[in-house]
Amino acid sequence: MTELFGYPLGWIMWLLYTIIPNYGICLILFTVMVRAILFPLSIKQQKSSAKMSVFQPKMAEIQKKYANNKEKQQEEMMKLYQDHGYNPMSGCLPLLIQFPILFGIIDVVYNPLKHILRIPSDVITQLTDIVSQHMEMFNPSQAQLQIVSAIQNPDNLSWFSSISTEYVDKIANFDYSLFGLNLGIVPEMSLNWMLLVPILSGVTSFLVSYISMKTNPSMETNQQSGCMMKGMMYGMPLFSVWIAFTVPVGVGIYWIVSNVLAGAQSIILNKMYSPSRYKAEYEQKMQEVEEQKRLEREKRRKKKLERGEELAEEDMTEEELKQLKKARREQRKEDPNRNPEEEYMTSKEQARRRLAEARRRDAEKYGEEYHEVTDKDLM
């Protein structure tokens, strides 16, 4: 798998190395390039988080209302997502893309002769055989790193007399460091500078998760998302530390730089696409929609009055509804055995009331959402 993802990344690293012949600097530049390429996806993720902060209360309402009907709950959630143009998986995409890149970086770091120096495969095989014969602690998975280490040690040059000086000189001059730090060494649990790489890898990973949670309040208010985010906030740093202790320092450097850039990116995007600002804009839009509905209701009411038709309750003003309720109470007092509501209503309204009561009973019984009866339902 690492070879599959390492092949295209190897070409990019080779191109960078031909311009700047220092592997460590190339690795940092590559990390910046990756972040720049993923930036549009990060913008989409931030917009998605901003949208989520708007309808978070509606999600909680649906979860509570259909707590005993998971199928209906899922159906209403999907409807809510569609209405708001929200994709719950969009926030995971940038993270998922990071893993193939990480696997590719591991392959590039482990195999610099193949990806960076472009040594022919048959020559690499010969070099591997030579090193495996002379080194007691030979590790096949780190063969190319050990070849670089062996050739760059002047005491071992006699081992490679059968290899063309062109390739030997190329490997001997290969700068596989960053500020004096050998990127091909795997960190160990000992007091040295290498120990800082796994530690910084875990710390920066934690800070990225912490910043993401703080810049997206909806993550904290939503129990499900909040638990997931908290799990990542503590789980990803541990994963980062473990990875950094099992792979060469170069991979850890990539992870650290990537985390630092991701944290800075989160802060910038939160200012560009603030959830609070998006929420205010959305609420204003909803107010405009409600105002439009009110105007349509007034227009419908006016037409009914002009035609002399009886108004439905949804078309009445608050004052008219009060008068209607008052009239019903007075009729009830006059004759307790009469049903003033049925008498007051037209046959159409009686049908509307009976259908509404039947729907309400079904909604309470099966945990479904209640829908108001419209004129179309009575046709």
Side-chain angles (χ1 to χ4, degrees), residues 198-244:
I199 293 174
L200 288 176
S201 180
V203 170
T204 53
S205 180
F206 174 82
L207 290 175
V208 169
S209 299
Y210 180 80
I211 291 172
S212 297
M213 178 172 282
K214 289 302 178 183
T215 54
N216 291 285
S218 60
M219 291 294 182
E220 294 184 286
T221 55
N222 180 268
Q223 184 177 1
Q224 183 178 0
S225 299
C227 291
M228 185 183 301
M229 198 68 183
K230 287 180 180 178
M232 289 184 62
M233 186 167 66
Y234 297 109
M236 284 303 293
L238 295 176
F239 175 75
S240 299
V241 172
W242 175 74
I243 284 288

Side-chain angles (χ1 to χ4, degrees), residues 127-358:
L127 290 168
T128 302
D129 292 338
I130 292 171
V131 173
S132 64
Q133 293 173 9
H134 288 83
M135 294 185 68
E136 295 181 2
M137 303 295 292
F138 178 75
N139 186 343
S141 64
Q142 301 181 21
Q144 295 190 26
L145 296 176
Q146 290 182 316
I147 291 170
V148 173
S149 178
I151 291 180
Q152 291 185 349
N153 184 347
D155 297 336
N156 302 330
L157 288 179
S158 59
W159 300 354
F160 307 99
S161 57
S162 61
I163 304 297
S164 170
T165 55
E166 175 190 352
Y167 300 126
V168 174
D169 291 342
K170 203 172 187 180
I171 297 171
N173 296 321
F174 179 48
D175 190 352
Y176 201 61
S177 64
L178 178 65
F179 307 124
L181 191 66
N182 189 334
L183 300 182
I185 299 177
V186 178
E188 297 178 352
M189 287 295 293
S190 57
L191 294 177
N192 53 52
W193 289 106
M194 297 293 181
L195 188 62
L196 285 176
V197 174
I199 293 174
L200 288 176
S201 180
V203 170
T204 53
S205 180
F206 174 82
L207 290 175
V208 169
S209 299
Y210 180 80
I211 291 172
S212 297
M213 178 172 282
K214 289 302 178 183
T215 54
N216 291 285
S218 60
M219 291 294 182
E220 294 184 286
T221 55
N222 180 268
Q223 184 177 1
Q224 183 178 0
S225 299
C227 291
M228 185 183 301
M229 198 68 183
K230 287 180 180 178
M232 289 184 62
M233 186 167 66
Y234 297 109
M236 284 303 293
L238 295 176
F239 175 75
S240 299
V241 172
W242 175 74
I243 284 288
F245 268 120
T246 57
V247 295
V249 170
V251 179
I253 294 295
Y254 162 78
W255 200 250
I256 292 169
V257 176
S258 181
N259 287 336
V260 171
L261 294 174
Q265 181 178 275
S266 294
I267 296 173
I268 294 171
L269 288 178
N270 186 62
K271 293 185 179 296
M272 293 173 60
Y273 304 97
S274 170
S276 57
R277 186 177 65 185
Y278 183 88
K279 185 176 182 180
E281 292 175 355
Y282 184 85
E283 287 176 349
Q284 182 180 356
K285 182 179 178 181
M286 289 296 100
Q287 289 177 0
E288 292 174 356
V289 171
E290 289 298 323
E291 178 63 17
Q292 182 64 29
K293 288 182 179 179
R294 187 188 69 78
L295 294 174
E296 291 176 357
R297 186 166 57 250
E298 286 293 328
K299 186 177 180 181
R300 186 172 63 247
R301 166 190 166 84
K302 184 178 179 181
K303 286 184 178 180
K304 284 187 176 182
L305 290 175
E306 289 176 350
R307 292 195 297 260
E309 296 179 3
E310 188 172 349
L311 296 175
E313 289 188 14
E314 58 265 24
D315 296 328
M316 293 182 180
T317 63
E318 286 189 21
E319 185 62 31
E320 288 170 339
L321 282 173
K322 287 181 181 179
Q323 292 178 2
L324 175 61
K325 291 178 181 178
K326 182 179 179 181
R328 289 173 179 174
R329 286 196 300 269
E330 290 176 353
Q331 288 179 342
R332 195 178 296 113
K333 289 179 182 178
E334 293 175 3
D335 186 356
N337 297 323
R338 290 169 59 197
N339 190 337
E341 293 186 1
E342 291 289 340
E343 291 179 5
Y344 188 85
M345 292 187 293
T346 63
S347 59
K348 184 177 180 180
E349 287 302 311
Q350 291 176 23
R352 183 192 300 274
R353 175 60 61 87
R354 287 193 291 270
L355 180 56
E357 289 177 352

Side-chain angles (χ1 to χ4, degrees), residues 63-77:
Q63 290 171 347
K64 182 179 180 181
K65 186 174 183 179
Y66 301 105
N68 298 325
N69 190 339
K70 297 300 181 183
E71 183 177 348
K72 184 65 177 178
Q73 182 185 109
Q74 186 67 21
E75 181 183 333
E76 291 299 318
M77 283 291 190

